[in-house]
Amino acid sequence: MATREALREFQARLAGRLQSAHTTNVAAWLAVEAGAGRYLFPLGQAGEIFPWTAPTPVPYTQPWYLGVANLRGGLWGVAQLSAFMGDPAARTQAVSEAAREQTRLVAFNEVLEVNCALVVDRLVGLRGLEAFASSQAPDESAPPWMGATYTTAEGENWQELNLQVLASRPEFLSIGA
């Protein structure tokens, strides 16, 4: 019970910080972990954050497309970010009981006009440029939705994902297997 209360307090603080970041431009990204990857979602492109909701599977779709879920009365496609990004250790089956406490669905911002949510294993918080010691532009061979890679002073790499570009790419929109 204490864990749930702490999680609710964390979510309330994060929601407050997200709101203030939108108005003061303090932070630039929502930092998340998915599989072995650390990702940065631009705040203007990330939408609402939902607790884990098991999607209803859709037959004949890509392995990273987990199905559809009812989120606040709307039908949303659910994609597992780590599997889409090619993480070989990605769990494309149901999220385990132990992992459900931290697993979240991060919806695309409604201005992108894509009813899709990405499964992330853990919300890390908000990040701004001051959190990073260096950055590196993406390789020429990188997919167009890959932004710069930012490195912390401790040596952790964080990959920026341009959700607006991702939401318009056939690789992401073509869910059929």
Side-chain angles (χ1 to χ4, degrees):
M1 191 67 159
T3 304
R4 284 188 182 202
E5 290 299 318
L7 184 58
R8 285 188 186 128
E9 289 175 18
F10 172 73
Q11 286 178 318
R13 285 193 316 270
L14 183 58
R17 289 183 65 198
L18 274 169
Q19 186 61 27
S20 70
H22 281 296
T23 58
T24 61
N25 293 327
V26 171
W29 302 286
L30 173 65
V32 302
E33 291 178 351
R38 294 183 187 96
Y39 301 101
L40 300 170
F41 298 162
L43 288 180
Q45 298 172 8
E48 190 169 353
I49 299 168
F50 298 96
W52 168 252
T53 301
T56 301
V58 176
Y60 308 111
T61 57
Q62 296 289 341
W64 49 263
Y65 187 78
L66 300 183
V68 294
N70 180 349
L71 304 174
R72 289 198 194 254
L75 193 59
W76 294 72
V78 178
Q80 186 178 27
L81 179 60
S82 57
F84 178 78
M85 296 300 288
D87 185 343
R91 302 180 318 263
T92 54
Q93 287 76 34
V95 174
S96 72
E97 192 73 36
R100 284 189 186 151
E101 287 295 318
Q102 293 188 14
T103 300
R104 296 288 175 263
L105 302 176
V106 179
F108 284 64
N109 191 308
E110 62 188 31
V111 300
L112 300 179
E113 299 179 347
V114 176
N115 277 12
C116 185
L118 299 173
V119 177
V120 298
D121 297 327
R122 189 168 86 89
L123 295 175
V124 180
L126 300 176
R127 296 290 185 269
L129 277 175
E130 71 282 349
F132 302 103
S134 64
S135 66
Q136 180 178 345
D139 292 335
E140 289 181 20
S141 63
W145 58 82
M146 300 286 269
T149 301
Y150 294 86
T151 305
T152 64
E154 294 80 26
E156 291 180 336
N157 288 327
W158 290 83
Q159 179 66 57
E160 181 180 24
L161 295 183
N162 186 325
L163 299 180
Q164 183 174 12
V165 172
L166 180 62
S168 67
R169 299 298 298 182
E171 301 92 332
F172 186 74
L173 295 175
S174 300
I175 61 169

